[in-house]
Structures are given as C-alpha cells and as structure tokens.
C-alpha cells in the first residue's frame, strides 16, 4: 500500500519538475536548474580532480586545468563570454586583477579566460572553503581563502600570497566590491585590500570589467541565454606609490571601471528588445 503511494508521489513530482523544465514560461524550477547544474558539475569535477591535486597541492596550474573542464558548463546554460584586450592579461608578470562582482557565475567567466592569464590565484571568502568538495579542491588548486571578519589575518594571508605573486609572476584576482552587486547602474564602493597589496608589492593593477548580466532576473525567475563582454582595461602602475596614495588609487581605478561598465551596459542593453524583462534594483 505505502509503496504504491510513494511511487505515485515520486512520479507526480518528477512529472511536475519535467513539465516546469520544458515550459516556455519562466518559473522557479527552470531558473534554479541552471545554477544547480553549474554547482553539481563543479562539485563532480572537484571530486574527480581531488586525487590529482593532492600530489601537487596549492599549485595555480591546478586551477588552470580545472577551469578548462568546468568552463564548458556555459554551453549548457547558454552564456557566451567575449574577451576584449586580453593581451593585458597574457603578459607574464605579477599583477593584481580587480573585477566587478555580479553573480556566482562570475567564476565561469573567469574560467573561460583563465588560459589567457595562465597563472592566477583567486581570492575567496573563507566560508567557501567549507563547501566541500568544491572548497577543498579550490584550496588545493591555489585559491586563497581569507576571513573578512578578521582583517589582520586576512592581510597577513594576502601578504604571503603577494610574495608568491612576485616570485612566481602570478596574478592575484580579487573582487574589490566585496559582495555581489545587483545594481545595473553603477559599481559598489571598493574595499582597499587589493590596492594595499598592489602598492606594497609595487605591481600593476589590471581592471577587468564584466558587462551586466541582463539575462538574469531573480524576481521573475528568468535565466535566458546571454552574452557577456569581459573588457580588460590598461594596467595601472603602482610604482613609486605609498600607502598614503591608496585612497586616490582606489578612486582612479573605480572611476575607470565604472565608466567602462556604463559603456558596456549601453552596448549590450541597446541590442535588446524594448520589452526585455530587465531586473531592477529595489
């Protein structure tokens, strides 16, 4: 008796989910399925690669290898990434890369251009380390986890990373906004960590701007196919600068990135139909 009831419930749930997935109307299940596929594929890749990473731990080349596998998720979620001025990232030198932060799929954009930058150490908040198996694989792949609630320890960790950056000509990638920005109109204020490291190490800052994710609307559960432009701006030298110059440096970089973001916004949004359901800020 009970087995038949359970069987009926399972069949009903599966039928409902499939109906929602193949529906032409936006819905919660269809929206979440793209993120879920991304998370599951990334976790599966992490499990497969963990044994290999253990024998060569904390090597940034592990991240490069993993990125070339995970980046193919973008074909399923139907997002295309277009890199501009990639030669800036390709230069073999230590640098601090700063980019705007809009969604968890930012990492897919990074993965699609990782091979251009080659040696990259991404910076992530400490909490992500505990999301296993991804967190453990990321740690073994050279991702640096920092505790935002402990500024002294975070700075100490970044200082060690900056030494590796100079020695191995590795680029450190940070999101200076510090959190995901859901505002389509401008960038959030920048935190100073990335700029302190760049000035202390006397390495250039490479601003990288992602055009807005117009194809994602969380309020209406929309995740359409989309196109993202990744614009690399010209490197900004920190040679000769001191910590007293950091506030002006932050303003300069943010102003340049904000202007580039607004230009990219005009470009991608002007090509959309007038009635396109863009997300709006509360």
């Amino acid at each position: 008796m009970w087995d038949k009831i359970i069987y009926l419930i399972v069949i009903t749930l599966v039928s409902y989910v499939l109906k929602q997935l193949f529906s032409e109307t936006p819905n919660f299940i269809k929206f979440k399925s793209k993120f879920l596929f991304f998370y599951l594929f990334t976790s599966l890749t992490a499990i497969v690669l963990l044994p290999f990473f253990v024998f060569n731990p904390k090597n940034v080349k592990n991240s490069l290898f993993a990125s070339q596998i995970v980046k193919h998720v973008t074909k399923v979620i139907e997002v295309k990434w277009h890199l501009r001025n990639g030669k800036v990232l390709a230069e073999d030198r230590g640098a601090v890369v700063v980019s705007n932060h809009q969604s968890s799929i930012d990492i897919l954009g990074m993965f699609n251009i990782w091979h251009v930058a080659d040696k990259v150490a991404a910076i992530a908040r400490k909490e992500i380390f505990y999301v296993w198996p991804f967190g453990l694989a990321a740690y073994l792949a050279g991702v640096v986890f920092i505790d935002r609630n402990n500024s002294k320890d975070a700075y100490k960790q970044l200082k060690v990373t900056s030494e590796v950056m100079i020695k191995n000509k590795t680029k450190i990638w940070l999101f200076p906004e510090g959190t995901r920005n859901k505002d389509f109109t401008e960038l959030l204020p920048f935190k100073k960590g990335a700029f302190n490291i760049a000035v202390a190490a006397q390495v250039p800052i490479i601003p990288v701007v992602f055009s807005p994710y117009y194809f994602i609307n969380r309020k209406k559960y929309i995740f359409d196919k989309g196109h993202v432009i990744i614009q690399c701006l010209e490197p900004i030298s920190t040679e000769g600068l001191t910590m007293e110059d950091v506030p002006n440096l932050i303003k300069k970089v943010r102003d340049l990135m904000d202007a580039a973001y607004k230009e990219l916004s005009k470009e991608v949004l002007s090509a959309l139909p007038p009635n396109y359901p863009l997300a709006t800020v509360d």
Side-chain angles (χ1 to χ4, degrees), residues 8 20 39 50 54 76 110 119 122 125 172 191 225 270:
L8 181 61
Q20 295 298 304
Y39 300 148
L50 268 173
V54 167
V76 177
M110 293 170 64
K119 292 180 291 185
R125 65 180 187 274
I172 298 179
K191 298 183 181 300
K225 61 177 66 175
S270 63

Side-chain angles (χ1 to χ4, degrees), residues 68-204:
Q68 299 311 292
I69 298 174
V70 178
K71 73 177 185 179
H72 295 293
V73 170
T74 57
K75 296 176 183 177
V76 177
I77 66 174
E78 299 182 287
V79 177
K80 294 182 179 180
W81 309 87
H82 178 209
L83 177 64
R84 291 180 179 172
N85 200 26
K87 63 181 181 181
V88 171
L89 282 178
E91 293 186 34
D92 186 24
R93 63 178 174 183
V96 173
V97 180
V98 293
S99 64
N100 54 317
H101 190 20
Q102 302 178 84
S103 166
S104 59
I105 69 167
D106 289 342
I107 192 172
L108 284 178
M110 293 170 64
F111 282 169
N112 273 266
I113 65 172
W114 207 286
H115 63 286
V116 177
D118 191 27
K119 292 180 291 185
V120 180
I123 308 298
R125 65 180 187 274
K126 186 178 179 181
E127 291 80 3
I128 295 178
F129 172 74
Y130 300 104
V131 183
W132 286 27
F134 174 78
L136 178 58
Y139 173 78
L140 293 173
V143 173
V144 179
F145 295 98
I146 60 172
D147 185 356
R148 290 179 181 170
N149 297 320
N150 190 328
S151 57
K152 288 186 178 179
D153 282 354
Y155 182 77
K156 204 177 292 183
Q157 181 64 63
L158 285 174
K159 190 174 185 301
V160 172
T161 305
S162 68
E163 291 170 0
V164 175
M165 170 185 63
I166 298 170
K167 182 181 177 181
N168 298 334
K169 295 183 178 180
T170 299
K171 298 175 183 68
I172 298 179
W173 193 306
L174 301 99
F175 298 102
E177 290 173 293
T179 188
R180 297 174 192 174
N181 183 7
K182 299 176 183 178
D183 188 343
F184 270 26
T185 61
E186 63 179 356
L187 304 185
L188 296 175
F190 283 1
K191 298 183 181 300
K192 62 183 181 180
F195 304 91
N196 284 342
I197 294 300
V199 169
Q202 293 288 284
V203 296

Side-chain angles (χ1 to χ4, degrees), residues 41-80:
F41 187 84
T42 303
S43 297
L44 179 61
T45 302
I47 292 172
V48 173
L49 295 180
L50 268 173
F52 300 97
F53 289 175
V54 167
F55 292 104
N56 194 18
K58 304 197 74 174
N59 188 325
V60 293
K61 287 292 186 179
N62 291 339
S63 293
L64 175 62
F65 182 69
S67 71
Q68 299 311 292
I69 298 174
V70 178
K71 73 177 185 179
H72 295 293
V73 170
T74 57
K75 296 176 183 177
V76 177
I77 66 174
E78 299 182 287
V79 177
K80 294 182 179 180

